[in-house]
Amino acid sequence: MAVCLVLALTGKMSASPAGGATTVEDVSRDAFTKPLANLEGERRSAFFVGNSFFNQNWVAAPASTTARDGLGPLFNTRSCSTCHFKDGRGASPEEGRPFTTALLRISIPGSDPHGGPLPDPIYGGQIQGQALPGVPAEAEVKVSYETISGTYSDGEAYTLRKPVYRMEHPGYGAPSPRLLMSARVAPAMIGLGLLEAVPEKALLDRVDPDDRDHDGISGRVNRVWDVGAKAMAVGRFGWKSEQPSISQQVAAAFQGDMSLTTALFPDENFTPGQEPCASLPNGGSPEVGGKVFDSVVYYSRTLAVPAARGSGDAEVRRGREVFNELRCAACHVPELTTGEWREFPELSGQTIHPYTDLLLHDLGEELDDGRPVFDASGREWRTPPLWGLGLVPKVNGHNTLLHDGRARGVAEAILWHGGEAGPSRDQFRSLPKADREALVRFIESL
């Protein structure tokens, strides 16, 4: 469905259908919270049921509200929406204060039986900074930032902030001295169903791990463990493409962030080294029942993408030209087409504009977290979608970007790119100020 209209809230800025017929036209603070535009009837009502479970707080067991008890004993948050506020992005953690808007993934050198990260024998795969009464929390995770100074070719100065993480007050003894750490902020939820509907072949067609076309861009899939299928699969969700599906992503978040068991991940989220946790009651088996789990997955699949804005604006048009000149589109692929999905006809056959190839790319030592995840090395990250990026300040009240929120806006995010994206970053540094601003404006219009 072609869409070209004038948005009253943005004057002369015209909108374009980033998510095909599913696109919503909203630039308000609720822009990320809308159902697919073509979701109708009972299927639209089901979206709002899922929304209620997404926003509800979970409580400790036993409780009179048995449909939402089982939180903990160790956890990061009490609801999905705490991290994905208004279905948007989490903010970067504040310097010197315990993490509340981000989490710290941990592992030790080696891999698990499926090639995934090897958990710390005491603290597992993620630090939970909160705990129920009667057991200690795992640790306080804090960050400090080192300032990196630089200049554009025209002499304008800039600074970047490099995060340095530390664990304080470990509740269960010292973690492994070989601990690998990597922080994560919650990504926006919009358009996940559309990305899941892109055929696997579309990803594989773009893979070029050995750069046989000599364009300097590789791109490869992350082969990850599909828990339900009990087989390796192509990953496409998470900052390292470590999850093959929305359902596994949701189940992993229930377990990792709130210590809630599901049919997919039925085990409690503590280790034998955290013995006091075993004495606390749980919320059943599983704690998240099938109806609730399916509702949250459905909700995650049916969140719409807001329309891009400003295609008629001269600066945005110039920004698009710069985007292509700098070859940003080699990884941030502007257009994909979804396949046929019988259960979700709304998501089927849509021409979408996510600005991602869903592949891993080497972003260099600048973003190397030294923590492999399946096939993804520390230097490799999945190309994140750019749609909706310019609405994050309005929706979430911040503009911190990249996997750990270190970048304070689009320009800093570009300047952190290295590896395969290093030449594009260097060209960005050499651009006239007007072109740099045009590129930022274009990305913020998506």
Side-chain angles (χ1 to χ4, degrees), residues 9-54:
L9 293 176
T10 55
K12 298 180 180 178
M13 298 179 76
S14 58
S16 59
T22 72
T23 308
V24 295
E25 297 151 15
D26 193 320
V27 295
S28 75
R29 200 178 179 213
D30 294 324
F32 294 169
T33 67
K34 307 299 183 183
L36 303 175
N38 57 353
L39 198 65
E40 297 178 342
E42 293 181 354
R43 294 173 63 77
R44 191 175 184 86
S45 299
F47 169 89
F48 293 102
V49 173
N51 172 271
S52 67
F53 290 126
F54 190 84

Side-chain angles (χ1 to χ4, degrees), residues 39 52 63 65 71 81 103 114 119 199 220 246 248 256 285 295 314 323 328 342 357 361-362 414 428:
L39 198 65
S52 67
T65 53
L71 177 74
S81 61
L103 57 82
H114 306 300
R220 61 187 188 129
I246 293 174
Q248 187 163 315
S285 182
S295 289
F323 187 83
C328 307
R342 185 170 58 84
D357 59 3
H361 292 277
D362 177 3
I414 296 171
F428 175 71

Side-chain angles (χ1 to χ4, degrees), residues 339-404:
E340 295 302 314
W341 193 352
R342 185 170 58 84
E343 292 83 358
F344 285 92
E346 300 89 351
L347 299 170
S348 300
Q350 300 295 331
T351 299
I352 62 175
H353 304 280
Y355 289 84
T356 177
D357 59 3
L358 296 173
L359 299 180
L360 297 173
H361 292 277
D362 177 3
L363 292 186
E365 61 181 333
E366 294 90 340
L367 292 177
D368 185 358
D369 67 358
R371 181 176 178 271
V373 180
F374 293 99
D375 290 339
S377 72
R379 297 164 58 106
E380 289 179 307
W381 299 88
R382 184 197 69 157
T383 307
L386 299 180
W387 51 17
L389 208 61
L391 292 173
V392 170
K394 180 174 287 186
V395 172
N396 296 119
H398 68 83
N399 198 22
T400 57
L401 304 175
L402 297 180
H403 64 281
D404 53 10

